[in-house]
Amino acid sequence: MPIFFNQKTREFHLQAKNVSYIFTVLENNQLGHIYYGRKITHRDSFLHLYTIQKKTYTATVFDDDLTFCLDTIKQEFPSYGTTDFREPAYQILLENGSRITQFEYKGHRIYQGKLKLDGLPATYVEQEKEATTLEIYLFDPLIDAEIILQYTVFEQFNAIARNAKFINHGKENLILTRAMSASVDFFDAEFEMVHLSGSWGRERYVRTRKLSPGIQSISSTRGTASGAGHNPFIALKRPGTNEHQGDVFGFSLVYSGNFLVQVEVDPYDVARVSIGINPFDFHWLLESKQSFQTPEVVLVYSSQGMNGMSQVYHSLYRTRLAKGIWRDKERPVLINNWEATYFKFNEEKILEIARAAKELGIELFVLDDGWFGQRTNAKTSLGDWVVNKSKLPNGITELAKKIRDLGLYFGLWFEPEMVSKISDLYKKHPDWIIHVPNRKPSQGRNQYVLDFSRQEVVDYIYHAMVKILDKAPISYIKWDMNRYMTEIGSARLPANRQFEVAHRYILGVYKLYERLTAEFPDILFESCAGGGARFDPGMLHYAPQTWTSDDTDAMERLKIQYGTSLVYPLSSMGAHVTAVPNHQVGRITSIETRANVAYFGIFGYELDVTKLSVEEKDKIKKQITFYKQNRSLFQKGTFYRLQSPFEKDGNVTSWIVVSEDQKEAVACRYQVLGKPNARYERLVLKGLRPDYKYKIEGIPSFFYGDELMNAGIYLDNVVLAGKLQYGDFTSQIFKLSNLA
Ligand code: DGJ
């Protein structure tokens, strides 16, 4: 029974495999938080853990009780202005200018399964027994408004999903000025905050800082995306927690737009985590009978360090967030023409690449940007989704058929949310872009953001895409998005709803994804945003894979993929072998190292394969065979980070992926620079069965799992055929198989 309720004390105990989350209804009928952490045995009451203390210089709720001050009580979904001075979970502006509300516990419901969220992506169940949901009903009679807090316990995954819904049952207009998805008050602030921050070309670097008094936060204000600056995720870990042991609490928001994750450390060292839509530049008008649904946040606690937390996110997101037939299917090895041709191609060139790719064993050809309108550079034609006849005189359908005839699947690039000023669409509908009256809209990559808060704009793009998808045999879509929002406004919305544009836009994007994935269930979607600026759980719901970064240099990718793996499974990370010198950083790395990095993701190539030497072709054929042989392991295995590029001098990174039955594994160790007269090195593995005997390809003899996980592989003693151990940009891959 994962959710207990004690009617007498009005306590809730949410319990998953290894976690307990406990809260109660307070004397004033609001909710008080009691405990979140490692699973504790259920008992009738935990009220003895509830802390209340008289502090000096506070305000109190009751006139005759000088202890009941919300500022010193841990809370579950706090408001501001009624004795709590910390930042709240929500705030509502009333018609009379007051921001004071009083939502009190009215009742609750516990049921098996999980309901869908209105218009938003979320985790789901396939069978009701997979999860139990608690709905708490809070009510403010003065304004006749309700908040429903939803908690879903995924018992086996060891995760709790939360969201909040605001409903205006009354007559007056309410304005939500802050509507976070969740708030958690921790007992203390002895934590380090881990977050994933960066920029284009270096997305999701792992950053760690000690919590200190005041507010520390990460956010997006970019409108169209969660952004490359920060990922909608933080973890709080206890000092001393590493990849393999220690307590860590993860918070991951299933959302693709403006978000905020903040930790406020108060004067009593309580750490309050708030996570949800960014309240900056956000108001939402709730007219009578209207409701507002917040995005979902997924809480994961692990006592098994950062890897333990990541593995929960990986399995939950891979199997119960991503949806559709491609969720479980092995993904094809693809070739993308972007870095091979950029905008300069014609049908002949594309077919030439496709033919060469087929010979190498590649399964899917993806035609990237430049196939439509007058698009010969990034200045024109977004929005005009009709084929460019001077490049592809026979059209997309014919090209797709020819590629299918070669024995390859065909995939196509779109950037549905954008329009170029030089386009027929813009000429016809200049007011369809995000803009405000009488101000010049700023450009970004010479393009403008279509106003997806408007139904007719989403409909138009839907029909334009369907026109192509209906005729051509298309198996894959790369859905790109290459600019952030500026001058945010919609020509359709009234003045008092202009603050809603950014969120309504994201809802429009989700609507289009929902329609296209429903109508074309066989198409594999890959999301992309100028590289990895929209690598978030919201996108993952519709598109089971995301382009991780435009930076494809193998050494750079170590950091990017390592950071991304904190939350996202290998099955979600697009990873391609590209040409050298690398187009982003100019570095030359071996074809082996480039593949050894890309295997740990959704493997593909993005270079002109017609220009390869015979020797390179031979190597690539072998790489593709190796990936196909181990594809299910890479895409579905349990991933452990072993050595971090963000620790020590960052010179060595290593990781391993292990099959569910622990009989197969692939580990890889990467070294940035060679060192003279180097120290001894070993690679200590994880996740194996201690008593299994493993054979490592290329190494005579065998090893027991416990030896590999304690003594490790002594790298100086194993010479793998043809592999440099101490050079620059080197890597050694180890394929392990259980010897029966
Ligand atoms: C940005 C993407 O990240 C690239 O892979 C490529 O598709 C370009 N856009 C095309 O314009």
Side-chain angles (χ1 to χ4, degrees), residues 626-734:
F626 173 77
Y627 186 74
K628 286 179 182 168
Q629 279 163 355
N630 295 290
R631 175 159 33 193
S632 141
L633 170 60
F634 282 121
Q635 296 181 6
K636 296 181 182 166
T638 309
F639 182 69
Y640 294 81
R641 293 173 299 270
L642 302 174
Q643 285 166 290
S644 169
F646 300 100
E647 281 168 18
K648 299 187 183 152
D649 60 0
N651 203 40
V652 172
T653 299
S654 64
W655 48 46
I656 184 171
V657 61
V658 184
S659 65
E660 204 185 337
D661 62 9
Q662 294 169 296
K663 290 187 171 165
E664 305 281 317
V666 181
C668 200
R669 176 186 186 274
Y670 313 87
Q671 175 168 288
V672 182
L673 294 179
K675 302 272 171 181
N677 208 10
R679 45 170 283 185
Y680 300 112
E681 292 286 348
R682 64 177 174 167
L683 180 61
V684 179
L685 304 183
K686 290 277 173 201
L688 305 173
R689 238 185 74 169
D691 58 334
Y692 272 2
K693 257 185 184 175
Y694 292 94
K695 159 120 206 64
I696 301 181
E697 247 170 62
I699 303 181
S701 176
F702 70 89
F703 305 86
Y704 279 106
D706 58 0
E707 178 188 338
L708 292 169
M709 293 193 292
N710 291 290
I713 303 172
Y714 281 34
L715 295 169
D716 307 81
N717 297 352
V718 294
V719 180
L720 292 171
K723 298 209 167 115
L724 275 178
Q725 283 209 10
Y726 296 116
D728 292 349
F729 320 134
T730 50
S731 58
Q732 289 128 36
I733 196 153
F734 300 93

Side-chain angles (χ1 to χ4, degrees), residues 45-100:
S45 174
F46 290 97
L47 284 186
H48 52 282
L49 298 180
Y50 165 64
T51 330
I52 191 154
Q53 255 179 40
K54 186 177 172 323
K55 305 270 186 202
T56 317
Y57 267 114
T58 51
T60 56
V61 171
F62 305 114
D63 296 345
D64 52 358
D65 177 357
L66 299 187
T67 60
F68 197 82
C69 162
L70 295 173
D71 203 36
T72 59
I73 294 172
K74 288 170 198 66
Q75 290 181 71
E76 202 42 40
F77 205 65
S79 65
Y80 169 80
T82 56
T83 77
D84 188 348
F85 300 100
R86 295 165 290 182
E87 292 208 346
Y90 64 94
Q91 192 167 38
I92 301 177
L93 176 62
L94 312 185
E95 278 180 0
N96 64 7
S98 159
R99 283 92 58 223
I100 301 305

